[in-house]
Amino acid sequence: MSQSLNRWFGRLQLRALVLLDRREQALDLTRRLLGQDPGNLHALATQAHVLALMGDKSRAADALQRLVDVAPAQAAGWFNLGYVCEELGQLDRAATAFRRATELDPQLDRAWYGLGLCLIRQQRFDEAIAALKRNTELQPMSPYGWYQLARVHVDRQEPDEAAKIIRHLKRFEPKVAAQLERETGLGATPS
């Protein structure tokens, strides 16, 4: 069987195993495929995905690190590495991965959001604001970035900025705006 046909068949098998929730079998197949071709991006990504599903975030991060080492120009790999590292509490590593993802794909709103969350946890609020502003520019109707941005302004003792965000959210996400009012104590804000 030709190498490209072999690779295609391996991908098909992996997809079927993941869809059927046969995680151990999927991991065994990724090991075999990677033994034949250590640079098999699909096998690396699937291995990381399955390990994360199984709760083994540390090994998932290792697989994602190998993935970005093999394919450093893939923004999705860096984003996924950032996500897993953030969950592991490896905030510097996560921020680095999210930054790399945004450099490779400046339109990757989730990477900007992930970067913002990491920076908040590190209390690097100025940088978090910049990342969250970029996220809200890319996803203006998603409440998540706006919510975090308002929380950062409250943490920085900037209630007027948080109140502006609450007013903005009231136009399209009144429940999130009301939640922020309750959480921040800003209450009903004048228009």
Side-chain angles (χ1 to χ4, degrees):
M1 197 181 305
S2 75
Q3 186 173 2
S4 63
L5 187 57
N6 236 0
R7 193 173 286 150
W8 177 83
F9 186 67
R11 289 178 76 157
L12 185 62
Q13 284 180 296
L14 280 175
R15 282 189 183 141
L17 290 170
V18 170
L19 284 172
L20 295 171
D21 204 27
R22 302 243 173 121
R23 296 173 183 176
E24 290 296 336
Q25 289 175 301
L27 280 180
D28 288 341
L29 181 55
T30 61
R31 285 187 206 103
R32 286 197 311 272
L33 292 171
L34 290 168
Q36 297 166 3
D37 177 11
N40 184 325
L41 299 180
H42 187 74
L44 284 167
T46 302
Q47 185 178 64
H49 175 73
V50 171
L51 288 166
L53 286 174
M54 295 172 75
D56 193 343
K57 306 282 192 208
S58 181
R59 287 180 51 211
D62 292 342
L64 287 165
Q65 184 63 57
R66 288 193 314 276
L67 177 81
V68 299
D69 289 345
V70 172
Q74 247 188 23
W78 287 104
F79 168 77
N80 290 326
L81 178 61
Y83 178 79
V84 171
C85 288
E86 185 198 2
E87 286 194 342
L88 288 168
Q90 299 172 359
L91 300 180
D92 287 334
R93 187 177 178 198
T96 298
F98 284 133
R99 280 187 206 285
R100 185 66 185 129
T102 62
E103 290 166 4
L104 292 167
D105 183 357
Q107 303 301 311
L108 189 56
D109 58 280
R110 296 169 303 165
W112 289 106
Y113 182 74
L115 177 59
L117 293 180
C118 281
L119 295 168
I120 289 169
R121 288 179 64 188
Q122 293 176 314
Q123 297 188 350
R124 295 164 57 187
F125 297 129
D126 290 340
E127 294 171 81
I129 286 173
L132 292 169
K133 281 185 177 180
R134 184 67 180 130
N135 170 259
T136 58
E137 289 168 7
L138 294 168
Q139 285 293 332
M141 298 306 287
S142 173
Y144 303 108
W146 292 110
Y147 175 89
Q148 295 298 335
L149 194 54
R151 297 294 312 189
V152 170
H153 284 299
V154 168
D155 290 343
R156 289 175 44 127
Q157 306 297 313
E158 298 168 345
D160 292 342
E161 292 300 315
K164 285 180 195 175
I165 292 169
I166 291 170
R167 285 193 301 274
H168 176 72
L169 277 170
K170 281 184 178 184
R171 289 185 241 152
F172 66 97
E173 282 289 346
K175 289 181 181 178
V176 175
Q179 179 182 343
L180 271 168
E181 286 177 335
R182 285 190 305 275
E183 290 177 1
T184 62
L186 291 175
T189 54
S191 298

PDB file of all heavy atoms in Angstrom, residues 56-88:
ATOM      1  N   ASP A  56      -5.758  13.219  31.166  1.00  0.00           N
ATOM      2  CA  ASP A  56      -4.299  13.219  31.303  1.00  0.00           C
ATOM      3  C   ASP A  56      -3.735  14.453  30.593  1.00  0.00           C
ATOM      4  O   ASP A  56      -3.133  14.370  29.525  1.00  0.00           O
ATOM      5  CB  ASP A  56      -3.709  11.934  30.732  1.00  0.00           C
ATOM      6  CG  ASP A  56      -2.265  11.723  31.126  1.00  0.00           C
ATOM      7  OD1 ASP A  56      -1.600  12.694  31.563  1.00  0.00           O
ATOM      8  OD2 ASP A  56      -1.780  10.578  30.991  1.00  0.00           O
ATOM      9  N   LYS A  57      -3.955  15.600  31.220  1.00  0.00           N
ATOM     10  CA  LYS A  57      -3.577  16.878  30.605  1.00  0.00           C
ATOM     11  C   LYS A  57      -2.066  17.014  30.423  1.00  0.00           C
ATOM     12  O   LYS A  57      -1.603  17.619  29.464  1.00  0.00           O
ATOM     13  CB  LYS A  57      -4.086  18.047  31.445  1.00  0.00           C
ATOM     14  CG  LYS A  57      -5.564  18.009  31.740  1.00  0.00           C
ATOM     15  CD  LYS A  57      -6.378  18.442  30.581  1.00  0.00           C
ATOM     16  CE  LYS A  57      -7.789  18.641  31.073  1.00  0.00           C
ATOM     17  NZ  LYS A  57      -8.809  18.455  30.173  1.00  0.00           N
ATOM     18  N   SER A  58      -1.307  16.444  31.338  1.00  0.00           N
ATOM     19  CA  SER A  58       0.146  16.556  31.243  1.00  0.00           C
ATOM     20  C   SER A  58       0.669  15.861  29.985  1.00  0.00           C
ATOM     21  O   SER A  58       1.480  16.422  29.240  1.00  0.00           O
ATOM     22  CB  SER A  58       0.785  15.970  32.503  1.00  0.00           C
ATOM     23  OG  SER A  58       2.177  16.093  32.443  1.00  0.00           O
ATOM     24  N   ARG A  59       0.219  14.642  29.757  1.00  0.00           N
ATOM     25  CA  ARG A  59       0.639  13.926  28.547  1.00  0.00           C
ATOM     26  C   ARG A  59       0.047  14.569  27.296  1.00  0.00           C
ATOM     27  O   ARG A  59       0.675  14.559  26.236  1.00  0.00           O
ATOM     28  CB  ARG A  59       0.283  12.444  28.647  1.00  0.00           C
ATOM     29  CG  ARG A  59       1.196  11.718  29.628  1.00  0.00           C
ATOM     30  CD  ARG A  59       0.906  10.243  29.784  1.00  0.00           C
ATOM     31  NE  ARG A  59       0.836   9.527  28.531  1.00  0.00           N
ATOM     32  CZ  ARG A  59       0.057   8.458  28.330  1.00  0.00           C
ATOM     33  NH1 ARG A  59      -0.713   7.999  29.306  1.00  0.00           N
ATOM     34  NH2 ARG A  59       0.049   7.849  27.168  1.00  0.00           N
ATOM     35  N   ALA A  60      -1.158  15.142  27.419  1.00  0.00           N
ATOM     36  CA  ALA A  60      -1.740  15.863  26.287  1.00  0.00           C
ATOM     37  C   ALA A  60      -0.862  17.057  25.928  1.00  0.00           C
ATOM     38  O   ALA A  60      -0.609  17.326  24.743  1.00  0.00           O
ATOM     39  CB  ALA A  60      -3.157  16.315  26.612  1.00  0.00           C
ATOM     40  N   ALA A  61      -0.379  17.766  26.933  1.00  0.00           N
ATOM     41  CA  ALA A  61       0.519  18.914  26.686  1.00  0.00           C
ATOM     42  C   ALA A  61       1.808  18.450  26.022  1.00  0.00           C
ATOM     43  O   ALA A  61       2.315  19.132  25.118  1.00  0.00           O
ATOM     44  CB  ALA A  61       0.810  19.650  27.988  1.00  0.00           C
ATOM     45  N   ASP A  62       2.334  17.307  26.443  1.00  0.00           N
ATOM     46  CA  ASP A  62       3.547  16.774  25.810  1.00  0.00           C
ATOM     47  C   ASP A  62       3.305  16.469  24.332  1.00  0.00           C
ATOM     48  O   ASP A  62       4.137  16.788  23.479  1.00  0.00           O
ATOM     49  CB  ASP A  62       4.020  15.507  26.529  1.00  0.00           C
ATOM     50  CG  ASP A  62       4.543  15.777  27.935  1.00  0.00           C
ATOM     51  OD1 ASP A  62       4.859  16.950  28.256  1.00  0.00           O
ATOM     52  OD2 ASP A  62       4.629  14.807  28.716  1.00  0.00           O
ATOM     53  N   ALA A  63       2.153  15.855  24.025  1.00  0.00           N
ATOM     54  CA  ALA A  63       1.834  15.545  22.632  1.00  0.00           C
ATOM     55  C   ALA A  63       1.667  16.830  21.822  1.00  0.00           C
ATOM     56  O   ALA A  63       2.134  16.919  20.678  1.00  0.00           O
ATOM     57  CB  ALA A  63       0.565  14.693  22.560  1.00  0.00           C
ATOM     58  N   LEU A  64       1.024  17.833  22.420  1.00  0.00           N
ATOM     59  CA  LEU A  64       0.849  19.109  21.713  1.00  0.00           C
ATOM     60  C   LEU A  64       2.184  19.821  21.520  1.00  0.00           C
ATOM     61  O   LEU A  64       2.396  20.478  20.493  1.00  0.00           O
ATOM     62  CB  LEU A  64      -0.145  19.991  22.459  1.00  0.00           C
ATOM     63  CG  LEU A  64      -1.593  19.527  22.337  1.00  0.00           C
ATOM     64  CD1 LEU A  64      -2.468  20.213  23.373  1.00  0.00           C
ATOM     65  CD2 LEU A  64      -2.118  19.778  20.926  1.00  0.00           C
ATOM     66  N   GLN A  65       3.085  19.684  22.487  1.00  0.00           N
ATOM     67  CA  GLN A  65       4.411  20.287  22.324  1.00  0.00           C
ATOM     68  C   GLN A  65       5.137  19.638  21.149  1.00  0.00           C
ATOM     69  O   GLN A  65       5.771  20.323  20.347  1.00  0.00           O
ATOM     70  CB  GLN A  65       5.234  20.154  23.606  1.00  0.00           C
ATOM     71  CG  GLN A  65       6.582  20.852  23.546  1.00  0.00           C
ATOM     72  CD  GLN A  65       6.449  22.357  23.369  1.00  0.00           C
ATOM     73  OE1 GLN A  65       5.809  23.024  24.177  1.00  0.00           O
ATOM     74  NE2 GLN A  65       7.051  22.904  22.322  1.00  0.00           N
ATOM     75  N   ARG A  66       5.033  18.305  21.048  1.00  0.00           N
ATOM     76  CA  ARG A  66       5.641  17.621  19.895  1.00  0.00           C
ATOM     77  C   ARG A  66       4.992  18.097  18.593  1.00  0.00           C
ATOM     78  O   ARG A  66       5.678  18.299  17.591  1.00  0.00           O
ATOM     79  CB  ARG A  66       5.515  16.099  20.038  1.00  0.00           C
ATOM     80  CG  ARG A  66       6.423  15.523  21.118  1.00  0.00           C
ATOM     81  CD  ARG A  66       6.560  14.008  21.075  1.00  0.00           C
ATOM     82  NE  ARG A  66       5.330  13.256  20.922  1.00  0.00           N
ATOM     83  CZ  ARG A  66       4.502  12.902  21.911  1.00  0.00           C
ATOM     84  NH1 ARG A  66       4.799  13.238  23.158  1.00  0.00           N
ATOM     85  NH2 ARG A  66       3.415  12.206  21.672  1.00  0.00           N
ATOM     86  N   LEU A  67       3.682  18.305  18.629  1.00  0.00           N
ATOM     87  CA  LEU A  67       2.966  18.783  17.442  1.00  0.00           C
ATOM     88  C   LEU A  67       3.491  20.139  16.988  1.00  0.00           C
ATOM     89  O   LEU A  67       3.784  20.341  15.808  1.00  0.00           O
ATOM     90  CB  LEU A  67       1.465  18.853  17.721  1.00  0.00           C
ATOM     91  CG  LEU A  67       0.609  19.405  16.585  1.00  0.00           C
ATOM     92  CD1 LEU A  67       0.344  18.314  15.554  1.00  0.00           C
ATOM     93  CD2 LEU A  67      -0.692  19.949  17.108  1.00  0.00           C
ATOM     94  N   VAL A  68       3.627  21.092  17.916  1.00  0.00           N
ATOM     95  CA  VAL A  68       4.101  22.426  17.512  1.00  0.00           C
ATOM     96  C   VAL A  68       5.587  22.410  17.172  1.00  0.00           C
ATOM     97  O   VAL A  68       6.039  23.253  16.397  1.00  0.00           O
ATOM     98  CB  VAL A  68       3.764  23.526  18.558  1.00  0.00           C
ATOM     99  CG1 VAL A  68       2.256  23.646  18.739  1.00  0.00           C
ATOM    100  CG2 VAL A  68       4.461  23.298  19.874  1.00  0.00           C
ATOM    101  N   ASP A  69       6.328  21.446  17.727  1.00  0.00           N
ATOM    102  CA  ASP A  69       7.730  21.317  17.328  1.00  0.00           C
ATOM    103  C   ASP A  69       7.837  20.865  15.875  1.00  0.00           C
ATOM    104  O   ASP A  69       8.700  21.323  15.135  1.00  0.00           O
ATOM    105  CB  ASP A  69       8.460  20.322  18.236  1.00  0.00           C
ATOM    106  CG  ASP A  69       8.695  20.845  19.645  1.00  0.00           C
ATOM    107  OD1 ASP A  69       8.555  22.074  19.876  1.00  0.00           O
ATOM    108  OD2 ASP A  69       8.995  20.024  20.538  1.00  0.00           O
ATOM    109  N   VAL A  70       6.927  19.963  15.477  1.00  0.00           N
ATOM    110  CA  VAL A  70       6.925  19.448  14.104  1.00  0.00           C
ATOM    111  C   VAL A  70       6.306  20.451  13.136  1.00  0.00           C
ATOM    112  O   VAL A  70       6.769  20.601  12.008  1.00  0.00           O
ATOM    113  CB  VAL A  70       6.164  18.091  14.042  1.00  0.00           C
ATOM    114  CG1 VAL A  70       5.966  17.637  12.609  1.00  0.00           C
ATOM    115  CG2 VAL A  70       6.891  17.029  14.842  1.00  0.00           C
ATOM    116  N   ALA A  71       5.247  21.143  13.587  1.00  0.00           N
ATOM    117  CA  ALA A  71       4.528  22.090  12.717  1.00  0.00           C
ATOM    118  C   ALA A  71       4.399  23.439  13.421  1.00  0.00           C
ATOM    119  O   ALA A  71       3.316  23.826  13.857  1.00  0.00           O
ATOM    120  CB  ALA A  71       3.157  21.529  12.367  1.00  0.00           C
ATOM    121  N   PRO A  72       5.507  24.174  13.535  1.00  0.00           N
ATOM    122  CA  PRO A  72       5.480  25.422  14.302  1.00  0.00           C
ATOM    123  C   PRO A  72       4.635  26.540  13.687  1.00  0.00           C
ATOM    124  O   PRO A  72       4.352  27.528  14.354  1.00  0.00           O
ATOM    125  CB  PRO A  72       6.951  25.826  14.376  1.00  0.00           C
ATOM    126  CG  PRO A  72       7.600  25.147  13.228  1.00  0.00           C
ATOM    127  CD  PRO A  72       6.829  23.881  12.995  1.00  0.00           C
ATOM    128  N   ALA A  73       4.212  26.386  12.451  1.00  0.00           N
ATOM    129  CA  ALA A  73       3.422  27.441  11.797  1.00  0.00           C
ATOM    130  C   ALA A  73       1.919  27.189  11.890  1.00  0.00           C
ATOM    131  O   ALA A  73       1.144  27.905  11.268  1.00  0.00           O
ATOM    132  CB  ALA A  73       3.835  27.569  10.334  1.00  0.00           C
ATOM    133  N   GLN A  74       1.500  26.217  12.680  1.00  0.00           N
ATOM    134  CA  GLN A  74       0.081  25.887  12.833  1.00  0.00           C
ATOM    135  C   GLN A  74      -0.490  26.573  14.068  1.00  0.00           C
ATOM    136  O   GLN A  74      -0.218  26.170  15.206  1.00  0.00           O
ATOM    137  CB  GLN A  74      -0.084  24.373  12.994  1.00  0.00           C
ATOM    138  CG  GLN A  74      -0.766  23.721  11.870  1.00  0.00           C
ATOM    139  CD  GLN A  74      -1.076  22.267  12.178  1.00  0.00           C
ATOM    140  OE1 GLN A  74      -1.163  21.836  13.317  1.00  0.00           O
ATOM    141  NE2 GLN A  74      -1.265  21.512  11.123  1.00  0.00           N
ATOM    142  N   ALA A  75      -1.298  27.584  13.853  1.00  0.00           N
ATOM    143  CA  ALA A  75      -1.875  28.339  14.970  1.00  0.00           C
ATOM    144  C   ALA A  75      -2.739  27.465  15.869  1.00  0.00           C
ATOM    145  O   ALA A  75      -2.725  27.620  17.096  1.00  0.00           O
ATOM    146  CB  ALA A  75      -2.695  29.517  14.442  1.00  0.00           C
ATOM    147  N   ALA A  76      -3.479  26.536  15.288  1.00  0.00           N
ATOM    148  CA  ALA A  76      -4.371  25.682  16.088  1.00  0.00           C
ATOM    149  C   ALA A  76      -3.595  24.844  17.103  1.00  0.00           C
ATOM    150  O   ALA A  76      -4.045  24.662  18.238  1.00  0.00           O
ATOM    151  CB  ALA A  76      -5.190  24.774  15.174  1.00  0.00           C
ATOM    152  N   GLY A  77      -2.456  24.352  16.717  1.00  0.00           N
ATOM    153  CA  GLY A  77      -1.636  23.573  17.647  1.00  0.00           C
ATOM    154  C   GLY A  77      -1.185  24.413  18.829  1.00  0.00           C
ATOM    155  O   GLY A  77      -1.228  23.974  19.984  1.00  0.00           O
ATOM    156  N   TRP A  78      -0.761  25.635  18.551  1.00  0.00           N
ATOM    157  CA  TRP A  78      -0.335  26.535  19.622  1.00  0.00           C
ATOM    158  C   TRP A  78      -1.506  26.897  20.530  1.00  0.00           C
ATOM    159  O   TRP A  78      -1.361  26.951  21.749  1.00  0.00           O
ATOM    160  CB  TRP A  78       0.295  27.801  19.040  1.00  0.00           C
ATOM    161  CG  TRP A  78       1.656  27.550  18.475  1.00  0.00           C
ATOM    162  CD1 TRP A  78       1.992  27.444  17.164  1.00  0.00           C
ATOM    163  CD2 TRP A  78       2.872  27.373  19.211  1.00  0.00           C
ATOM    164  NE1 TRP A  78       3.337  27.199  17.042  1.00  0.00           N
ATOM    165  CE2 TRP A  78       3.905  27.157  18.288  1.00  0.00           C
ATOM    166  CE3 TRP A  78       3.181  27.369  20.570  1.00  0.00           C
ATOM    167  CZ2 TRP A  78       5.223  26.951  18.666  1.00  0.00           C
ATOM    168  CZ3 TRP A  78       4.506  27.170  20.953  1.00  0.00           C
ATOM    169  CH2 TRP A  78       5.496  26.958  20.007  1.00  0.00           C
ATOM    170  N   PHE A  79      -2.682  27.145  19.911  1.00  0.00           N
ATOM    171  CA  PHE A  79      -3.862  27.451  20.719  1.00  0.00           C
ATOM    172  C   PHE A  79      -4.179  26.293  21.667  1.00  0.00           C
ATOM    173  O   PHE A  79      -4.409  26.498  22.858  1.00  0.00           O
ATOM    174  CB  PHE A  79      -5.076  27.744  19.834  1.00  0.00           C
ATOM    175  CG  PHE A  79      -6.351  27.772  20.625  1.00  0.00           C
ATOM    176  CD1 PHE A  79      -6.670  28.867  21.411  1.00  0.00           C
ATOM    177  CD2 PHE A  79      -7.205  26.679  20.633  1.00  0.00           C
ATOM    178  CE1 PHE A  79      -7.833  28.879  22.176  1.00  0.00           C
ATOM    179  CE2 PHE A  79      -8.364  26.686  21.392  1.00  0.00           C
ATOM    180  CZ  PHE A  79      -8.673  27.789  22.167  1.00  0.00           C
ATOM    181  N   ASN A  80      -4.204  25.084  21.130  1.00  0.00           N
ATOM    182  CA  ASN A  80      -4.522  23.923  21.966  1.00  0.00           C
ATOM    183  C   ASN A  80      -3.487  23.712  23.061  1.00  0.00           C
ATOM    184  O   ASN A  80      -3.835  23.359  24.191  1.00  0.00           O
ATOM    185  CB  ASN A  80      -4.681  22.673  21.099  1.00  0.00           C
ATOM    186  CG  ASN A  80      -5.937  22.722  20.262  1.00  0.00           C
ATOM    187  OD1 ASN A  80      -6.952  23.256  20.680  1.00  0.00           O
ATOM    188  ND2 ASN A  80      -5.875  22.168  19.063  1.00  0.00           N
ATOM    189  N   LEU A  81      -2.227  23.941  22.738  1.00  0.00           N
ATOM    190  CA  LEU A  81      -1.181  23.845  23.758  1.00  0.00           C
ATOM    191  C   LEU A  81      -1.426  24.875  24.853  1.00  0.00           C
ATOM    192  O   LEU A  81      -1.328  24.564  26.048  1.00  0.00           O
ATOM    193  CB  LEU A  81       0.204  24.032  23.129  1.00  0.00           C
ATOM    194  CG  LEU A  81       1.385  24.002  24.103  1.00  0.00           C
ATOM    195  CD1 LEU A  81       1.476  22.662  24.835  1.00  0.00           C
ATOM    196  CD2 LEU A  81       2.689  24.298  23.361  1.00  0.00           C
ATOM    197  N   GLY A  82      -1.752  26.092  24.474  1.00  0.00           N
ATOM    198  CA  GLY A  82      -2.045  27.134  25.462  1.00  0.00           C
ATOM    199  C   GLY A  82      -3.198  26.757  26.360  1.00  0.00           C
ATOM    200  O   GLY A  82      -3.148  26.921  27.581  1.00  0.00           O
ATOM    201  N   TYR A  83      -4.251  26.234  25.753  1.00  0.00           N
ATOM    202  CA  TYR A  83      -5.446  25.840  26.505  1.00  0.00           C
ATOM    203  C   TYR A  83      -5.116  24.772  27.550  1.00  0.00           C
ATOM    204  O   TYR A  83      -5.494  24.891  28.722  1.00  0.00           O
ATOM    205  CB  TYR A  83      -6.511  25.340  25.523  1.00  0.00           C
ATOM    206  CG  TYR A  83      -7.769  24.867  26.185  1.00  0.00           C
ATOM    207  CD1 TYR A  83      -8.728  25.769  26.626  1.00  0.00           C
ATOM    208  CD2 TYR A  83      -8.007  23.509  26.369  1.00  0.00           C
ATOM    209  CE1 TYR A  83      -9.892  25.337  27.240  1.00  0.00           C
ATOM    210  CE2 TYR A  83      -9.163  23.066  26.986  1.00  0.00           C
ATOM    211  CZ  TYR A  83     -10.097  23.987  27.416  1.00  0.00           C
ATOM    212  OH  TYR A  83     -11.245  23.554  28.033  1.00  0.00           O
ATOM    213  N   VAL A  84      -4.401  23.740  27.133  1.00  0.00           N
ATOM    214  CA  VAL A  84      -4.064  22.650  28.061  1.00  0.00           C
ATOM    215  C   VAL A  84      -3.110  23.145  29.144  1.00  0.00           C
ATOM    216  O   VAL A  84      -3.271  22.814  30.325  1.00  0.00           O
ATOM    217  CB  VAL A  84      -3.480  21.440  27.300  1.00  0.00           C
ATOM    218  CG1 VAL A  84      -2.919  20.402  28.257  1.00  0.00           C
ATOM    219  CG2 VAL A  84      -4.537  20.808  26.407  1.00  0.00           C
ATOM    220  N   CYS A  85      -2.132  23.953  28.764  1.00  0.00           N
ATOM    221  CA  CYS A  85      -1.184  24.469  29.760  1.00  0.00           C
ATOM    222  C   CYS A  85      -1.883  25.373  30.775  1.00  0.00           C
ATOM    223  O   CYS A  85      -1.543  25.335  31.961  1.00  0.00           O
ATOM    224  CB  CYS A  85      -0.037  25.214  29.071  1.00  0.00           C
ATOM    225  SG  CYS A  85       1.092  24.113  28.212  1.00  0.00           S
ATOM    226  N   GLU A  86      -2.851  26.153  30.323  1.00  0.00           N
ATOM    227  CA  GLU A  86      -3.593  26.987  31.266  1.00  0.00           C
ATOM    228  C   GLU A  86      -4.330  26.108  32.265  1.00  0.00           C
ATOM    229  O   GLU A  86      -4.337  26.380  33.468  1.00  0.00           O
ATOM    230  CB  GLU A  86      -4.575  27.902  30.547  1.00  0.00           C
ATOM    231  CG  GLU A  86      -5.234  28.850  31.528  1.00  0.00           C
ATOM    232  CD  GLU A  86      -6.506  29.487  31.038  1.00  0.00           C
ATOM    233  OE1 GLU A  86      -6.944  29.197  29.927  1.00  0.00           O
ATOM    234  OE2 GLU A  86      -7.057  30.274  31.819  1.00  0.00           O
ATOM    235  N   GLU A  87      -4.955  25.043  31.779  1.00  0.00           N
ATOM    236  CA  GLU A  87      -5.651  24.127  32.680  1.00  0.00           C
ATOM    237  C   GLU A  87      -4.704  23.467  33.670  1.00  0.00           C
ATOM    238  O   GLU A  87      -5.102  23.142  34.780  1.00  0.00           O
ATOM    239  CB  GLU A  87      -6.404  23.065  31.881  1.00  0.00           C
ATOM    240  CG  GLU A  87      -7.646  23.607  31.219  1.00  0.00           C
ATOM    241  CD  GLU A  87      -8.558  22.515  30.711  1.00  0.00           C
ATOM    242  OE1 GLU A  87      -8.111  21.355  30.552  1.00  0.00           O
ATOM    243  OE2 GLU A  87      -9.737  22.819  30.487  1.00  0.00           O
ATOM    244  N   LEU A  88      -3.459  23.276  33.269  1.00  0.00           N
ATOM    245  CA  LEU A  88      -2.449  22.694  34.166  1.00  0.00           C
ATOM    246  C   LEU A  88      -1.861  23.728  35.125  1.00  0.00           C
ATOM    247  O   LEU A  88      -1.074  23.381  35.989  1.00  0.00           O
ATOM    248  CB  LEU A  88      -1.312  22.066  33.340  1.00  0.00           C
ATOM    249  CG  LEU A  88      -1.639  20.775  32.603  1.00  0.00           C
ATOM    250  CD1 LEU A  88      -0.538  20.429  31.612  1.00  0.00           C
ATOM    251  CD2 LEU A  88      -1.842  19.638  33.610  1.00  0.00           C
TER     252      LEU A  88
END
